[in-house]
């Protein structure tokens, strides 16, 4: 008989993979002129942000599932606003790419995420340039270039949109560490949506008004309430499914699940969208990029284990005197603020290049336990 806890873990992983793949395919179907024909990615993103912000407001203010953090104007202006701007940009550019390139090719380009995050972290001084990691990044980049060269329906505009979205998300991750964590502010999945989603909605309004509103006035738009409601609901459910997975397993497992999801998604996209064609060069390039990502993850896991061994070598008395927490049962731990009505006290001392996110639900990162344990920072935001 399968252990109940193990069964639930695999069940949550399956839900995560299905929701993540479903949201991507659903967005492509809605935006594609060949299918539902709603070619307004900013509008779709605004619907997601408005819906998520509304649900978060209901949970925080009405049901009081969690308490809002002590948000000052200074913190909101210097932290939440810039993070929301890059968050909105990453979603905007990422969704716009669906209009020009296939889902399969988009997933191959997303292999660049560790490269972009590592480069931004080095530029901002939150990570150090290491030869072994740099070589892995070069391998990933070469793989993506080979995959792009083998793309039959290569589109420069779509590729630029997707890569720009990747770098915008990388900057968001760096800003999350540099701004929020240094301020001692941490948010859980609900409070993150509560503060960031409305602000992102406002940022998206400007490009929407300039770029999409004029086209919506003259075009024949079919607006199906249930299509957009279910689409936004799936995106919201994806955020919470990731949180459930993090509560059951570590980042290594979810990274493996993410790789599995990418392969499944690439295969499914060619079936659901027959115009998507995968070439042998696509597969070879993506395999090279994936090898680089796997090696990069191995190095990071090795670093974490080394850090934990260093922590365990500290005498218990010294650990208690320093106010540190020794935790060696998991390599990665999620924030537990959502389970604590006060928001919890778990903060993270992770480098952005150590963070793994789901690109369709980037508000909930996986964070590494630092070598000095989890710092006590107050309420947390995702």
């Amino acid at each position: 008989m399968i252990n109940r806890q193990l069964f639930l873990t695999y069940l949550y992983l399956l839900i995560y993979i299905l929701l993540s793949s479903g949201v991507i395919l659903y967005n492509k179907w809605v935006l594609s002129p060949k299918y539902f024909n709603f070619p307004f990615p900013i509008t779709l993103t605004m619907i997601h942000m408005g819906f998520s912000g509304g649900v978060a407001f209901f949970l925080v203010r009405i049901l009081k599932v969690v308490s809002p953090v002590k948000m000052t104007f200074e913190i909101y202006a210097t932290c939440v606003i810039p993070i929301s701007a890059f968050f909105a940009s990453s979603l905007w550019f990422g969704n716009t790419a669906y209009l020009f390139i296939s889902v399969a090719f988009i997933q191959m380009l997303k292999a660049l995420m560790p490269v972009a995050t590592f480069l931004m972290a080095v530029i901002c001084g939150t990570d150090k340039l290491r030869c072994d990691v740099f070589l892995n990044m070069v391998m990933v980049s070469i793989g993506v270039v080979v995959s792009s060269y083998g793309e039959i329906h290569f589109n420069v505009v779509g590729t630029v949109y997707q890569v720009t979205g990747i770098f915008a998300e990388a900057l968001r991750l760096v800003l999350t560490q540099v701004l929020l964590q240094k301020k001692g502010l941490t948010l859980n999945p609900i409070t993150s949506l509560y503060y960031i989603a409305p602000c992102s909605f406002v940022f998206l309004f400007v490009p929407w008004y300039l770029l999409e509103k004029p086209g919506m006035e003259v075009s024949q738009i079919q607006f199906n309430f249930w299509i957009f409601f279910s689409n936004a609901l799936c995106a919201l459910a994806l955020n919470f499914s990731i949180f459930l997975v993090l509560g059951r397993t570590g980042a290594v497992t979810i990274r493996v699940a993410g790789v599995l999801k990418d392969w499944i998604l690439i295969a499914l996209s060619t079936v659901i969208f027959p115009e998507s064609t995968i070439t042998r060069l696509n597969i070879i390039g993506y395999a090279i990029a994936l090898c680089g990502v796997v090696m990069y993850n191995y190095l990071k896991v090795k670093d974490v284990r080394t850090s934990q061994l260093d922590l365990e070598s500290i005498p218990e008395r010294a650990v208690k005197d320093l106010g540190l927490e020794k935790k060696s049962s998991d390599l990665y731990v999620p924030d537990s603020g959502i389970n604590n009505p006060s928001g919890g006290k778990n903060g993270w001392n992770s480098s952005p290049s150590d963070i793994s996110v789901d690109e369709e639900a980037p508000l909930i990162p996986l964070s590494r336990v630092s070598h000095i344990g989890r710092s006590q920072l107050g309420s947390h935001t995702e």
Side-chain angles (χ1 to χ4, degrees):
M1 182 177 178
I2 300 177
N3 182 279
R4 182 174 179 272
Q5 297 299 322
L6 186 61
F7 172 77
L8 288 176
T9 298
Y10 285 123
L11 178 61
Y12 290 153
L13 281 171
L14 177 62
I15 292 173
Y16 156 70
I17 292 173
L18 291 176
L19 281 173
S20 183
S21 302
V23 168
I24 294 172
L25 295 172
Y26 204 167
N27 285 348
K28 173 66 175 179
W29 182 81
V30 169
L31 294 169
S32 177
K34 294 183 178 180
Y35 298 96
F36 186 72
N37 192 24
F38 187 80
F40 301 103
I42 304 177
T43 305
L44 185 66
T45 307
M46 288 177 70
I47 292 173
H48 289 176
M49 292 297 97
F51 181 78
S52 297
V55 171
F57 179 86
F58 181 77
L59 293 174
V60 173
R61 292 298 182 181
I62 308 300
L63 296 183
K64 300 187 184 300
V65 175
V66 294
S67 301
V69 301
K70 294 180 180 179
M71 182 69 66
T72 65
F73 177 78
E74 187 265 339
I75 292 177
Y76 192 86
T78 59
C79 298
V80 175
I81 289 180
I83 289 172
S84 299
F86 284 106
F87 179 45
S89 299
S90 67
L91 294 177
W92 165 21
F93 294 130
N95 283 335
T96 304
Y98 288 121
L99 297 175
F100 302 97
I101 54 181
S102 68
V103 171
F105 186 48
I106 285 175
Q107 293 307 117
M108 295 175 188
L109 289 175
K110 283 180 179 179
L112 283 173
M113 189 66 208
V115 178
T117 310
F118 177 70
L119 288 177
M120 293 300 103
V122 170
I123 292 173
C124 294
T126 60
D127 206 347
K128 295 180 180 180
L129 184 63
R130 291 168 43 185
C131 183
D132 52 355
V133 176
F134 178 75
L135 290 177
N136 286 335
M137 298 299 99
V138 171
M139 179 183 293
V140 172
S141 301
I142 291 174
V144 172
V145 170
V146 172
S147 182
S148 301
Y149 184 76
E151 176 65 18
I152 294 178
H153 304 293
F154 182 81
N155 184 286
V156 176
V157 176
T159 302
V160 170
Y161 267 117
Q162 182 58 45
V163 173
T164 304
I166 289 172
F167 276 89
E169 174 60 13
L171 277 171
R172 185 194 71 84
L173 290 175
V174 174
L175 282 177
T176 299
Q177 184 195 32
V178 172
L179 299 178
L180 279 183
Q181 294 180 6
K182 285 191 176 180
K183 294 285 185 180
L185 181 68
T186 54
L187 306 174
N188 59 52
I190 297 176
T191 51
S192 289
L193 291 174
Y194 178 76
Y195 290 108
I196 294 177
C199 189
S200 297
F201 182 92
V202 173
F203 271 107
L204 290 167
F205 180 82
V206 176
W208 173 81
Y209 186 83
L210 296 175
L211 300 176
E212 291 191 358
K213 184 176 180 292
M216 296 177 74
E217 291 176 347
V218 298
S219 65
Q220 297 294 325
I221 303 173
Q222 53 173 334
F223 189 92
N224 187 308
F225 170 81
W226 293 109
I227 291 291
F228 291 101
F229 174 75
S230 59
N231 183 260
L233 189 62
C234 287
L236 181 66
L238 175 58
N239 275 284
F240 291 109
S241 74
I242 296 174
F243 188 75
L244 286 175
V245 170
L246 291 180
R248 290 277 174 180
T249 186
V252 177
T253 303
I254 201 171
R255 283 173 189 263
V256 173
V259 172
L260 177 62
K261 178 210 72 176
D262 289 341
W263 282 109
I264 292 175
L265 191 53
I266 290 172
L268 279 178
S269 66
T270 59
V271 175
I272 298 174
F273 306 111
E275 68 276 8
S276 299
T277 306
I278 299 179
T279 65
R280 183 177 300 177
L281 209 54
N282 278 145
I283 298 175
I284 293 174
Y286 187 57
I288 294 173
L290 215 53
C291 287
V293 173
V294 170
M295 291 175 65
Y296 168 78
N297 288 339
Y298 170 76
L299 288 175
K300 288 302 178 181
V301 171
K302 187 178 179 182
D303 290 344
V304 174
R305 285 175 176 166
T306 302
S307 298
Q308 289 182 332
L309 288 175
D310 291 341
L311 176 60
E312 290 178 349
S313 66
I314 302 176
E316 289 289 340
R317 179 66 176 268
V319 172
K320 291 180 180 178
D321 291 342
L322 291 172
L324 305 180
E325 177 184 355
K326 293 177 72 173
K327 183 178 179 65
S328 59
S329 58
D330 297 301
L331 289 178
Y332 296 75
V333 294
D335 175 58
S336 60
I338 193 171
N339 297 320
N340 185 343
S342 65
K345 288 186 178 182
N346 295 335
W348 294 316
N349 284 333
S350 60
S351 165
S353 60
D354 297 340
I355 298 173
S356 173
V357 298
D358 189 286
E359 297 83 353
E360 302 308 312
L363 280 179
I364 305 176
L366 299 173
S367 297
R368 192 186 77 185
V369 180
S370 71
H371 67 282
I372 61 171
R374 292 177 291 174
S375 59
Q376 305 301 309
L377 296 178
S379 306
H380 172 71
T381 175
E382 43 177 326

